[in-house]
Amino acid sequence: MIDISESVMQFLLALIVVGPLAGAAAALLPAPPGLKGKSPDQAVLRHGVTVTGVILLAALVLALGFDHDHPSKMQATTDISWIRALDVRIHLGVDGISLPLLVLTALLTFLCALYSYFKMPAGPSPKAFVALLLVLESGTLATFAVLDLVLFFLAFEMVLIPMYFLIARWGGEGRQAAAWKFILYTLLGSVVMLLGLLLIGVKAGTFDMVALATDNGRGLTTSVQVIAVLAIGLGLAVKTPMWPLHSWLPDAHTAAPTVGSVLLAGVLLKMGTYGFVRIVLPITPDGMATFAPYLAAFAVAGIIYGSLACLALAKPGNKGDLKRLIAYSSVGHMGFVLLGIATMTPTGVNGALFANIAHGLITGLLFFLVGAVKDRYGTADLDTLAGVTGAALYGRAPRLGALLAFASVASLGLPGLAGFWGEMLALFGAFAPAEGLSRPAFLTFMAIGAFGTLLTAAYLLVVVRRVCMGGPRPAGETAIADVQGYEFAAWTPLVVLTVLAGLWPAVLLGLTDPAVQKLLAGGTQ
């Protein structure tokens, strides 16, 4: 921790939110002659790396200046009146819940920009690609930093257009249909969510999320809370995605370019679960208690469904796409996040927040790796990759094979790696749910979720066996490239953080736990 004044912290948070937008506008301008390098395309891609690098640096300085002794306190706050008639304010702030998500978003976007500099996906102008990437970053960062319900909705919706175009213009086969499915599902969910947010604001007389969380639902009747949770929860569940509202996700991931899949899995899905923790749990606790058992039931259904779908895709002869398999695995992993939230306990919610970060690191790495395999072999079809001699990455590209195996065992929750702690704490939370929730029901959910971890291990080990193992390379076969320098640079931070979070979980839990305790207590601590 370093001593930074509050005014500098406010500036850093504002820069993190607004900086990418300014960078996006600059990306569309002609490059100055001295900065073009070999070509204007190279210049704009370098611009994307520079802007995202500056935002990552600002996020790291913000994290270093954060008062880690008081992580439950909103810090770097800015509160300016915007629409006086509706009492909508430009209210920004960061606490122990939002800080890790801000850093994760800044990191993944920078790594995607760096990767794209060397491996630009085929498609239209790089100018548009970089601009969309930066708008997407700004919207995501704003979602985790704003403290006004109306601003939250605007930031939540801001990411839809750039992600739609990233899929539709730079994606692969079936990209148009996948992009339309993505935007229709999320827009329909968001319309319902907006009604719930407006209901809370009108009935409580304020859209300020801090004031509403401190009130802890005391200014809202139970019936209003139930309606609000149903409306807001539906919009958040689509983005998470919760089974059975998940069907847009596999298509979007399969069609998206590599960096689109990384950001979709690593960052955008977290916006939904963050909304549950930041809005639904503290502002409408009675309504949440009503729906918690149903949310938990859908969560464990998603865990089992996602795992069975992955097992089916991994089975020989089923023509399973590896990107589609990882997408379905996200349905299962996010099920653990929702289960932890549904317990309404500090243990479960902390587990959900930890699993959020772990999923972003591990699944982001998995999509990078699968994209690299597809680039080398021209396909992500498992049956093709595991053909006569197989992709046999251990023999053909040992570093790539080792990284894929590492990411797979991290994803299945191997102790000592980041994937373990979140799922374990979510299950512990289900073992002793909040007062008023049915313990027998949550014990059943815990047992089903634990069984899901076995299914997860089964399909990921099948994937490793089929892709990494195989016969020797026949004489005369063209060798494939192992991990390149730019790939090593983009992937190493994710590997290191996955190990660090697994071996030293107290760093993340020390940030989230006091903030979670305060949220669940209604800000009375």
Side-chain angles (χ1 to χ4, degrees):
M1 176 181 167
I2 57 178
D3 189 19
I4 299 178
S5 68
E6 182 68 13
S7 60
V8 174
M9 293 281 282
Q10 291 171 348
F11 170 76
L12 287 172
L13 187 57
L15 174 66
I16 288 168
V17 173
V18 180
L21 277 181
L28 298 175
L29 300 174
L35 298 178
K36 286 186 178 180
K38 294 180 181 178
S39 71
D41 289 350
Q42 185 188 51
V44 76
L45 290 170
R46 187 169 58 245
H47 170 79
V49 175
T50 302
V51 173
T52 55
V54 169
I55 298 304
L56 174 59
L57 182 62
L60 292 175
V61 175
L62 181 72
L64 290 173
F66 186 82
D67 184 358
H68 291 260
D69 293 330
H70 301 92
S72 62
K73 175 188 173 185
M74 277 295 171
Q75 302 177 37
T77 54
T78 299
D79 192 1
I80 305 169
S81 179
W82 182 33
I83 305 175
R84 292 185 182 277
L86 299 176
D87 194 28
V88 176
R89 310 182 69 80
I90 298 175
H91 192 182
L92 306 177
V94 62
D95 66 355
I97 292 172
S98 53
L99 181 64
L101 289 165
L102 284 171
V103 176
L104 175 68
T105 301
L107 173 64
L108 285 177
T109 312
F110 170 71
L111 296 180
C112 286
L114 180 65
Y115 187 85
S116 299
Y117 179 77
F118 295 96
K119 191 72 177 179
M120 173 68 194
S125 162
K127 278 180 173 287
F129 177 84
V130 170
L132 290 169
L133 192 68
L134 292 173
V135 172
L136 181 68
E137 179 181 31
S138 180
T140 312
L141 290 168
T143 301
F144 299 137
V146 298
L147 297 172
D148 183 278
L149 291 179
V150 175
L151 277 186
F152 176 86
F153 176 78
L154 294 176
F156 197 85
E157 295 305 288
M158 185 175 164
V159 304
L160 298 186
I161 300 303
M163 182 53 74
Y164 167 81
F165 281 109
L166 285 175
I167 296 171
R169 303 301 298 276
W170 285 271
E173 185 179 349
R175 59 182 182 269
Q176 291 289 347
W180 274 111
K181 197 171 185 180
F182 161 75
I183 202 164
L184 287 176
Y185 264 76
T186 48
L187 271 179
L188 288 173
S190 297
V191 168
V192 181
M193 183 178 77
L194 177 60
L195 297 177
L197 295 174
L198 292 175
L199 176 64
I200 289 176
V202 170
K203 292 294 184 181
T206 180
F207 290 101
D208 186 272
M209 290 158 65
V210 175
L212 288 166
T214 303
D215 189 60
N216 203 220
R218 287 183 284 270
L220 300 171
T221 64
T222 301
S223 59
V224 167
Q225 290 190 40
V226 168
I227 296 170
V229 170
L230 184 61
I232 298 170
L234 188 63
L236 297 174
V238 171
K239 186 65 72 73
T240 298
M242 181 185 77
W243 180 90
L245 303 173
H246 69 283
S247 60
W248 62 269
L249 184 71
D251 292 339
H253 271 309
T254 305
T258 297
V259 294
S261 292
V262 171
L263 292 175
L264 185 58
V267 177
L268 264 68
L269 304 189
K270 312 302 175 283
M271 294 165 64
T273 51
Y274 174 78
F276 276 108
V277 175
R278 179 64 75 196
I279 298 173
V280 177
L281 270 177
I283 296 176
T284 55
D286 294 339
M288 180 63 186
T290 300
F291 284 105
Y294 304 102
L295 179 63
F298 283 122
V300 296
I303 293 170
I304 300 301
Y305 173 84
S307 299
L308 292 177
C310 290
L311 277 172
L313 289 169
K315 185 179 178 183
N318 282 0
K319 292 289 182 183
D321 185 278
L322 198 48
K323 288 188 72 176
R324 196 173 190 86
L325 185 147
I326 303 302
Y328 272 111
S329 78
S330 291
V331 177
H333 288 306
M334 298 310 288
F336 282 101
V337 177
L338 290 173
L339 176 61
I341 293 170
T343 66
M344 299 182 69
T345 62
T347 301
V349 176
N350 276 303
L353 293 171
F354 198 103
N356 249 351
I357 301 299
H359 179 265
L361 295 171
I362 297 168
T363 308
L365 177 60
L366 275 170
F367 274 116
F368 268 135
L369 293 167
V370 172
V373 171
K374 188 173 183 179
D375 289 338
R376 286 157 171 77
Y377 285 92
T379 182
D381 180 77
L382 264 173
D383 287 342
T384 304
L385 292 172
V388 179
T389 61
L393 291 180
Y394 288 154
R396 288 168 168 77
R399 293 182 183 86
L400 183 58
L403 281 171
L404 182 60
F406 168 83
S408 298
V409 297
S411 185
L412 64 83
L414 185 74
L417 297 176
F420 171 73
W421 295 104
E423 295 181 2
M424 184 194 71
L425 289 172
L427 294 174
F428 276 5
F431 181 76
E435 185 178 351
L437 299 180
S438 170
R439 189 160 187 246
F442 274 84
L443 286 175
T444 304
F445 300 145
M446 182 194 74
I448 297 172
F451 178 65
T453 62
L454 301 178
L455 295 177
T456 303
Y459 70 74
L460 285 168
L461 292 176
V462 170
V463 167
V464 171
R465 178 177 62 80
R466 297 192 70 200
V467 177
C468 296
M469 302 178 185
R473 180 165 63 92
E477 181 185 289
T478 304
I480 68 165
D482 207 340
V483 177
Q484 304 293 294
Y486 70 92
E487 293 172 329
F488 183 80
W491 304 342
T492 299
L494 302 180
V495 173
V496 171
L497 289 172
T498 298
V499 174
L500 283 178
L503 295 179
W504 199 9
V507 173
L508 187 54
L509 293 173
L511 275 175
T512 62
D513 184 54
V516 167
Q517 298 274 3
K518 182 177 180 180
L519 272 186
L520 293 177
T524 57
Q525 292 188 350

